Amino acid sequence: MSTFPLLEVDGLERRFDVSAPWLNRVIERRPKQILKAVDGVSFSIPRGETLALVGESGCGKSTIAKLVVGLYPPSGGTITFRGDERRVQMIFQDPFASLNPRWRVGRIVAEPIRTLEPGRPDAEVEARVAELLATVGLNAGDGTKYPHEFSGGQRQRISIARALAGEPEFLVCDEPTSALDVSVQAQILNLMKRLQRQFELTYLFISHDLSVVRHMADTIAVMYLGRIVEIAPTAELFAHPRHPYTRLLLETIPDLEAPKRDRTPMAGEVPSPIDPPEGCAFHPRCPLAFDRCKTERPELAGEPDRHRTACFAALPVASAASCVAPARAQSRST
Amino acid sequence: MAEPVLDIRNLSVAFPTRHGVLTAVDDISLEIAAGEILGVVGESGAGKSMTGMAVLGLLEPPGRIAAGEIRLEGERIDQLGEAGMQKVRGRRIGAIFQDPLTSLHPLFSVGDQLVETIRFHLKLGRDAARARALDLLREVGIPAAESRIDHYPHQFSGGMRQRVVIALALSADPDLIIADEPTTALDVSIQAQITALLKRLCREHGTAVMLVTHDMGVIAETADRVAVMYAGRLAEVGPVAEVVRQPRHPYTKGLMGSIPSLRREVEELVQIDGSMPRLNAIPRGCAFNPRCGHAGPRCRKERPSLAHGRVACWLEQGGVQP
């Protein structure tokens, strides 16, 4: 019935050793310190779809991006990619840092072609580069310029052209528009959606911005301290958020359609991932936390492939819809 | 009507360069009343930070105020010079910048920094100043302020550091606060805490606030009125709910449409093609005319003013035909 997803990530873990130097540890009798940046994450992305990872700084979303493209080896778990591994590309957040300032744009865009197909004649590569620049809305003549001659949005177009040069089937986009102004962001998001339709691309889209994610993603996974706390199809997640963290996040974002409202912001801050709280990592900030949350860690549960939540207090499916409104009222009055 | 706390009249900021004079802020007029938050919004290079810096007297040379005047409670401050501005800055105008880590001195405890600022401006004794520093830290919501007061900036999280910066800005009870992208470096949940804090403090102290940001969401949430800037000029000024719900300038309309909605699914975002002109290539007439779908001959010749109404657009003022 269903074909296998293009990417399957199962129980993915990545630990970083952040201990003090060996001598200090011996003298000051300090134990090793391990940071669990990604702590047992599982998801899958069907071909042609977009999965978004969303969360605040330090939740592990960018680490997952680097694990998926192979920039870091995983400490545990598996990543299964059912496609040509050479056809995975990445778009980075900062278009100022991700383009070599001493290379002309044409050479930057041609690099994946020259790496993957070393024998291809120069004339063909040049024609392909001109075509790619046109695809992302730049002039063919821009190939002879250097990156500093372009604005942030144009540079991100160059990054996209370079990613497309490898004829990818899978693109990992790590905050591709976070460094851009909103009107330029709209241009890039529209371009990325058009390219996805045109080339049947599959995206892993990483962002901290829920409104961008809503626009781009088919499925959203909300992360907190290295774990997915809720995963659901986009419309479902926005209509019936179940995890208290997701609800508080949605409650916190400024809403342009309800300007000038007064509300009580979520108290507290994301704890340090070096020393996360016992049990559910969110329990110290959670309005619904009870004793079990402090000792036991909830696993993702719910309908597989639909809506899953890692929370003991999240409500069962039937009443989930009706709980949203009172929960909002409650968080406003506290 | 009561006199505004800040009154900017026809302000222009210019940067003389080898290739000619660049006008970063071009003939803008704004006022902010006591207890009011005015949001100044625009994209990179629109001149919003430059406006704030001009009020603070912190323009980097060769930048200078080329025309216009800035009045604080009726008194001109744009001609005070460095010595005069030192008495105004910190005492009567507080400043909050984007990056709390660079706004604080890393080698002094936050208490020492607060005490120094308070004593410089208010002529209090050491003990009285420390007591005031403690009160300020409590007021901006630093938990366990008694022990935190002796900590150094690196021992605070980003959100807590920004609270300390706000306490510093408030230390001499200023009439006006210039907050330049105060929440941009922070996560959304922390951002909401800081905007709520700014709003509460502004209300309780009757402080006027100029909130400079690129984030329309933060403006919608915090400001009473909003001024939209484009290429150094004001495009539109008005109450926040009106500008956000019924933008009238084509640029503001495009800007609002380009923000993905949290409520609705849209297949394609509104796209303003092209980008903001560089300061050395601002087109004649309305600065937005090459990107505007409604531009007529008049827009390419004459610059629309904001004088009549709240929108600098010929569509609103007698049409785009000459």
Side-chain angles (χ1 to χ4, degrees), chain A residues 187-259:
Chain A
Q187 295 172 2
I188 298 294
L189 294 180
N190 284 343
L191 173 68
M192 290 181 67
K193 276 198 134 178
R194 180 167 64 76
L195 294 173
Q196 179 167 40
R197 282 194 300 269
Q198 199 174 339
F199 300 111
E200 289 173 15
L201 297 171
T202 308
Y203 288 150
L204 173 62
F205 192 94
I206 288 159
S207 177
H208 68 281
D209 187 330
L210 271 165
S211 56
V212 168
V213 158
R214 166 162 202 171
H215 184 66
M216 295 299 288
D218 299 292
T219 307
I220 296 177
V222 181
M223 290 193 65
Y224 191 75
L225 280 184
R227 296 174 68 84
I228 292 178
V229 295
E230 181 159 14
I231 182 164
T234 303
E236 163 73 13
L237 186 93
F238 276 85
H240 311 302
R242 288 185 206 156
H243 197 283
Y245 178 61
T246 314
R247 286 199 217 145
L248 287 174
L249 265 188
L250 286 172
E251 192 44 38
T252 310
I253 332 171
D255 189 344
L256 282 175
E257 272 132 277

Side-chain angles (χ1 to χ4, degrees), chain A:
Chain A
M1 184 189 80
S2 68
T3 52
F4 286 111
L6 182 69
L7 180 84
E8 231 173 326
V9 168
D10 189 37
L12 188 64
E13 285 180 24
R14 173 69 205 194
R15 294 181 288 271
F16 292 102
D17 189 341
V18 290
S19 314
W22 174 80
L23 195 60
N24 290 60
R25 285 210 313 275
V26 172
I27 296 170
E28 295 159 24
R29 294 170 191 244
R30 278 194 283 166
K32 276 203 155 193
Q33 272 193 314
I34 303 294
L35 184 151
K36 283 185 180 170
V38 179
D39 189 9
V41 165
S42 307
F43 60 83
S44 60
I45 316 179
R47 203 173 284 274
E49 290 199 4
T50 302
L51 177 116
L53 295 174
V54 64
E56 298 181 278
S57 3
C59 72
K61 53 192 194 300
S62 290
T63 307
I64 293 183
K66 289 185 177 150
L67 288 164
V68 167
V69 295
L71 290 173
Y72 289 149
S75 315
T78 56
I79 301 170
T80 316
F81 182 67
R82 293 192 186 82
D84 184 351
E85 289 200 357
R86 295 181 309 173
R87 295 179 63 194
V88 177
Q89 291 284 340
M90 183 157 178
I91 299 168
F92 296 89
Q93 168 171 356
D94 187 350
F96 294 80
S98 58
L99 302 174
N100 188 338
R102 309 180 116 208
W103 282 20
R104 289 181 199 274
V105 167
R107 187 174 168 198
I108 292 173
V109 176
E111 194 187 14
I113 309 174
R114 299 217 183 266
T115 312
L116 294 170
E117 299 167 70
R120 208 155 155 184
D122 284 354
E124 237 179 79
V125 175
E126 272 165 37
R128 175 78 182 127
V129 167
E131 186 189 305
L132 285 164
L133 289 175
T135 309
V136 298
L138 294 169
N139 299 322
D142 288 338
T144 57
K145 295 185 188 165
Y146 287 97
H148 75 261
E149 296 174 63
F150 296 89
S151 66
Q154 288 171 321
R155 279 183 224 210
Q156 207 57 308
R157 288 176 194 267
I158 298 169
S159 307
I160 294 173
R162 174 178 61 184
L164 292 177
E167 293 178 26
E169 37 189 351
F170 181 55
L171 268 182
V172 177
C173 318
D174 188 2
E175 304 260 15
T177 59
S178 305
L180 307 176
D181 277 317
V182 276
S183 71
V184 181
Q185 165 173 290
Q187 295 172 2
I188 298 294
L189 294 180
N190 284 343
L191 173 68
M192 290 181 67
K193 276 198 134 178
R194 180 167 64 76
L195 294 173
Q196 179 167 40
R197 282 194 300 269
Q198 199 174 339
F199 300 111
E200 289 173 15
L201 297 171
T202 308
Y203 288 150
L204 173 62
F205 192 94
I206 288 159
S207 177
H208 68 281
D209 187 330
L210 271 165
S211 56
V212 168
V213 158
R214 166 162 202 171
H215 184 66
M216 295 299 288
D218 299 292
T219 307
I220 296 177
V222 181
M223 290 193 65
Y224 191 75
L225 280 184
R227 296 174 68 84
I228 292 178
V229 295
E230 181 159 14
I231 182 164
T234 303
E236 163 73 13
L237 186 93
F238 276 85
H240 311 302
R242 288 185 206 156
H243 197 283
Y245 178 61
T246 314
R247 286 199 217 145
L248 287 174
L249 265 188
L250 286 172
E251 192 44 38
T252 310
I253 332 171
D255 189 344
L256 282 175
E257 272 132 277
K260 205 70 196 113
R261 64 184 167 152
D262 264 307
R263 13 155 238 177
T264 316
M266 161 165 45
E269 300 182 1
V270 181
S272 158
I274 296 174
D275 187 19
E278 289 286 303
C280 170
F282 186 61
H283 86 256
R285 301 169 77 188
C286 183
L288 309 175
F290 55 101
D291 287 347
R292 190 179 175 194
C293 308
K294 292 173 189 153
T295 51
E296 204 182 319
R297 197 160 70 174
E299 296 298 325
L300 273 179
E303 317 94 276
D305 297 332
R306 279 289 299 161
H307 194 162
R308 288 178 299 150
T309 317
C311 181
F312 295 126
L315 296 133
V317 187
S319 59
S322 56
C323 82
V324 178
R328 288 203 164 172
Q330 177 204 351
S331 64
R332 206 169 273 169
S333 64
T334 44

Side-chain angles (χ1 to χ4, degrees), chain B:
Chain B
M1 204 185 105
E3 188 175 46
V5 173
L6 179 72
D7 191 358
I8 301 176
R9 287 271 151 258
N10 306 101
L11 176 73
S12 292
V13 173
F15 283 76
T17 69
R18 272 185 300 172
H19 308 290
V21 178
L22 302 181
T23 310
V25 176
D26 193 354
D27 191 19
I28 70 164
S29 299
L30 288 171
E31 43 191 58
I32 313 178
E36 183 185 47
I37 303 184
L38 174 79
V40 179
V41 72
E43 300 186 276
S44 324
K48 53 193 192 308
S49 289
M50 234 22 112
T51 308
M53 287 305 199
V55 174
L56 283 165
L58 288 177
L59 289 173
E60 291 267 352
R64 60 188 182 84
I65 294 175
E69 45 190 64
I70 302 170
R71 286 174 190 273
L72 185 66
E73 311 243 86
E75 180 196 334
R76 275 188 81 163
I77 57 165
D78 53 303
Q79 297 172 320
L80 281 181
E82 186 46 33
M85 276 315 281
Q86 273 197 6
K87 295 203 182 83
V88 172
R89 235 182 284 137
R91 174 73 191 86
R92 295 175 58 198
I93 310 179
I96 303 167
F97 296 111
Q98 173 169 343
D99 185 354
L101 199 51
T102 48
S103 312
L104 296 171
H105 197 301
L107 299 182
F108 290 90
S109 71
V110 302
D112 286 346
Q113 299 186 45
L114 278 162
V115 166
E116 189 202 348
T117 313
I118 294 167
R119 294 194 63 192
F120 182 84
H121 292 297
L122 296 186
K123 311 291 172 234
L124 286 177
R126 187 157 283 282
D127 290 345
R130 191 175 161 91
R132 178 162 171 82
L134 255 180
D135 285 344
L136 284 164
L137 288 178
R138 282 197 203 101
E139 188 172 9
V140 297
I142 304 265
E146 294 80 3
S147 60
R148 297 292 266 165
I149 189 168
D150 294 316
H151 285 186
Y152 291 84
H154 74 269
Q155 292 169 298
F156 290 82
S157 66
M160 286 297 154
R161 258 180 233 142
Q162 199 59 299
R163 288 173 192 263
V164 172
V165 173
I166 293 175
L168 268 173
L170 286 173
S171 55
D173 210 359
D175 306 315
L176 171 72
I177 289 183
I178 309 279
D180 190 352
E181 305 273 8
T183 59
T184 308
L186 308 172
D187 272 319
V188 273
S189 64
I190 310 300
Q191 183 174 313
Q193 296 172 1
I194 297 296
T195 50
L197 175 68
L198 261 181
K199 257 158 75 168
R200 176 169 65 80
L201 294 173
C202 166
R203 205 175 295 157
E204 286 172 6
H205 293 250
T207 316
V209 177
M210 181 193 275
L211 176 67
V212 175
T213 177
H214 70 286
D215 189 333
M216 209 59 183
V218 170
I219 296 272
E221 196 72 15
T222 319
D224 300 297
R225 281 189 309 130
V226 56
V228 182
M229 288 190 73
Y230 183 82
R233 305 170 183 186
L234 285 177
E236 180 162 0
V237 185
V240 81
E242 272 181 44
V243 175
V244 167
R245 291 214 184 97
Q246 289 129 19
R248 278 154 61 181
H249 194 286
Y251 173 65
T252 323
K253 280 183 193 160
L255 195 64
M256 297 307 304
S258 68
I259 305 171
S261 169
L262 276 173
R263 303 261 181 105
R264 274 171 290 106
E265 300 255 352
V266 280
E267 196 35 49
E268 191 143 311
L269 298 168
V270 176
Q271 194 167 316
I272 316 174
D273 287 322
S275 52
M276 196 157 63
R278 295 190 178 195
L279 289 181
N280 57 7
I282 292 176
R284 222 162 82 93
C286 170
F288 188 61
N289 85 67
R291 304 173 73 190
C292 182
H294 309 281
R298 188 174 197 176
C299 308
R300 294 184 201 105
K301 272 184 263 162
E302 265 177 89
R303 176 177 164 183
S305 72
L306 201 69
H308 315 285
R310 64 177 185 88
V311 191
C313 179
W314 289 122
L315 281 177
E316 300 271 334
Q317 299 165 30
V320 297
Q321 297 300 323

